[in-house]
Amino acid sequence: MITILAIESSCDETAAAVSRGKIILSNIISSQKIHEKYGGVVPELASRAHLQSIIPVVGEALKIANVELKDIDAFAFTQSPGLIGALLVGTEFAKSLALAFDKSLIAVHHMQAHVLANLIQHPQSENKIPSFPFLCLTVSGGHTQIIVCSSPLDQKIIGQTLDDAAGEAFDKSAKILGLPYPGGPLIDKYSKKGNPEKYHFPEPKIDGLNFSFSGLKTAFLYFIRDEKLKNENFVEENMDDICASIQSRIVSILLNKLKKASEETGIKEVCIAGGVSANSGLRTEFEKAGKEAGWNTYIPKFEYCTDNAAMIAITAYYKFLDSQFDDLSVVPSARTA
Ligand code: KG4
Ligand code: ZN
């Protein structure tokens, strides 16, 4: 069985995972808390924190998996997209290990990996895995895409955001409400007690399968500004309902396009992936939409939704099967190559 050590360091999580075949033996994530007080990720601080965490994180992943470095068949890492200094740490670390142990090296695309998190096999339960071709709504802090995945390594983007990503829509709304970064999980938390029908925000009219969130952000900003002029405690007094209402609109924008994509392609195997797929409102509404439309729906386990190295490992597994290896001249890329 192919054993892989994977490293993810594209943004503000230092992560390592060990996989054997399609099973994840360990999945370690160290989240960088240092960015909270700056209201967003500071690239240089991220690189430094990766340097500090990478050895302990990889050590822990090997220990939990009960695997030694000499047992690893391939070292995998996130090559793009992401913060260049952050990517560099994982890239050079994986390259050094591949060189030292004379094993294969596999570069992985972060967005492709988010999608393939849906193919991870859970050791204890026989989880169902999507059959090909499937649709995937990939929603993260930097991307919002609808993908047709015809095989693990054949993914085609059929819709994407023209401006902000869904995660940004959450985080920027949270910032307007005075909540710390990243605000997505906090909006999710307050929404659980709120009324999603209380306030109405516009759904943008965008052609085809593309998305736009910048108009919604502006509408939200003006709404909060105007309400605060009437009552300076408006946000504090109505936090739950405000969060539930904006979350409900972001979720409906995402799902309406996903339904359209399914109708247009005829594909009823449908997945979600990426950090925003951890959102409880999206998870519930996605399942509901799936029942209504007769889809088979798939959502990665919670810890495989936000940034993690298990998804890098499963992608590297399929690249290994297809003999897609890299040599030591490989370099990271901030943008999608
Ligand atoms: O995939 P991810 O961990 O990193 C990127 O590749 O960007 O996604 C991070 C994004 C952030 O915008 C974060 O606020 C959002 O995912 N996020 C959530 C939730 N958990 C993470 N948004 C809404 N609800 C959540 N529960
Ligand atoms: Zn991500």
Side-chain angles (χ1 to χ4, degrees):
M1 281 270 231
I2 301 163
T3 306
I4 291 174
L5 171 67
I7 294 164
E8 152 65 37
S9 71
S10 65
C11 193
D12 57 345
E13 256 98 28
T14 316
V18 176
S19 62
R20 183 158 289 147
K22 282 190 265 181
I23 300 226
I24 302 302
L25 300 180
S26 63
N27 182 41
I28 306 298
I29 302 171
S30 164
S31 294
Q32 302 175 358
K33 293 272 167 262
I34 187 150
H35 308 288
E36 262 169 25
K37 60 175 176 237
Y38 297 99
V41 178
V42 184
E44 183 54 29
L45 294 180
S47 314
R48 290 174 194 211
H50 283 306
L51 280 172
Q52 283 175 339
S53 322
I54 197 150
I55 292 177
V57 165
V58 167
E60 183 76 359
L62 289 164
K63 195 170 127 200
I64 302 239
N66 200 16
V67 164
E68 291 184 35
L69 279 170
K70 65 173 172 47
D71 305 324
I72 301 290
D73 298 308
F75 295 97
F77 63 97
T78 304
Q79 184 206 1
S80 73
L83 303 170
I84 192 68
L87 289 165
L88 204 52
V89 176
T91 304
E92 295 309 315
F93 200 81
K95 278 160 78 169
S96 310
L97 287 170
L99 176 66
F101 289 87
D102 193 22
K103 293 289 172 61
S104 302
L105 181 66
I106 302 176
V108 170
H109 190 277
H110 184 89
M111 296 313 293
Q112 186 177 36
H114 268 305
V115 174
L116 297 190
N118 281 288
L119 303 185
I120 292 173
Q121 202 105 57
H122 306 163
Q124 264 86 38
S125 59
E126 269 292 296
N127 55 311
K128 48 180 191 126
I129 280 178
S131 47
F132 299 100
F134 64 79
L135 284 177
C136 186
L137 170 72
T138 321
V139 271
S140 70
H143 294 78
T144 298
Q145 301 177 332
I146 299 178
I147 300 282
V148 175
C149 186
S150 303
S151 73
L153 304 179
D154 181 358
Q155 298 185 8
K156 188 166 151 240
I157 300 169
I158 57 168
Q160 59 190 324
T161 185
L162 304 176
D163 40 59
D164 288 351
E168 278 177 290
F170 272 105
D171 296 338
K172 288 180 178 175
S173 300
K175 199 168 185 177
I176 292 167
L177 297 174
L179 299 172
Y181 178 86
L186 291 170
I187 293 201
D188 193 355
K189 188 179 123 201
Y190 287 114
S191 294
K192 287 183 180 140
K193 289 177 279 163
N195 172 10
E197 308 276 328
K198 181 83 177 277
Y199 307 109
H200 292 275
F201 300 110
E203 173 155 10
K205 304 262 172 294
I206 306 292
D207 284 346
L209 298 174
N210 289 331
F211 301 89
S212 166
F213 288 102
S214 67
L216 179 62
K217 177 186 65 191
T218 309
F220 188 68
L221 179 71
Y222 289 161
F223 168 76
I224 297 294
R225 185 196 62 183
D226 293 349
E227 290 300 322
K228 274 168 90 172
L229 286 176
K230 290 185 248 166
N231 168 12
E232 61 176 309
N233 297 323
F234 174 75
V235 169
E236 292 73 20
E237 286 170 11
N238 298 285
M239 188 64 104
D240 295 345
D241 292 339
I242 299 169
C243 287
S245 300
I246 189 73
Q247 174 170 300
S248 155
R249 175 51 82 206
I250 296 170
V251 166
S252 73
I253 292 172
L254 294 171
L255 291 180
N256 285 344
K257 290 288 177 161
L258 190 56
K259 285 178 207 164
K260 192 167 180 197
S262 170
E263 282 159 20
E264 286 183 8
T265 59
I267 300 173
K268 287 181 177 285
E269 293 283 303
V270 189
C271 308
I272 56 176
V276 179
S277 66
N279 181 267
S280 52
L282 177 60
R283 292 166 92 97
T284 310
E285 292 302 316
F286 170 63
E287 297 287 12
K288 221 194 274 174
K291 273 204 185 81
E292 280 164 20
W295 299 342
N296 291 320
T297 53
Y298 307 87
I299 309 179
K301 248 168 97 173
F302 194 79
E303 62 264 40
Y304 303 146
C305 287
T306 45
D307 284 351
N308 66 87
M311 68 184 195
I312 307 301
I314 185 89
T315 308
Y317 168 74
Y318 285 103
K319 291 190 93 169
F320 194 111
L321 292 182
D322 201 43
S323 302
Q324 292 192 28
F325 300 113
D326 292 272
D327 61 37
L328 294 171
S329 65
V330 66
V331 287
S333 161
R335 295 188 166 274
T336 299

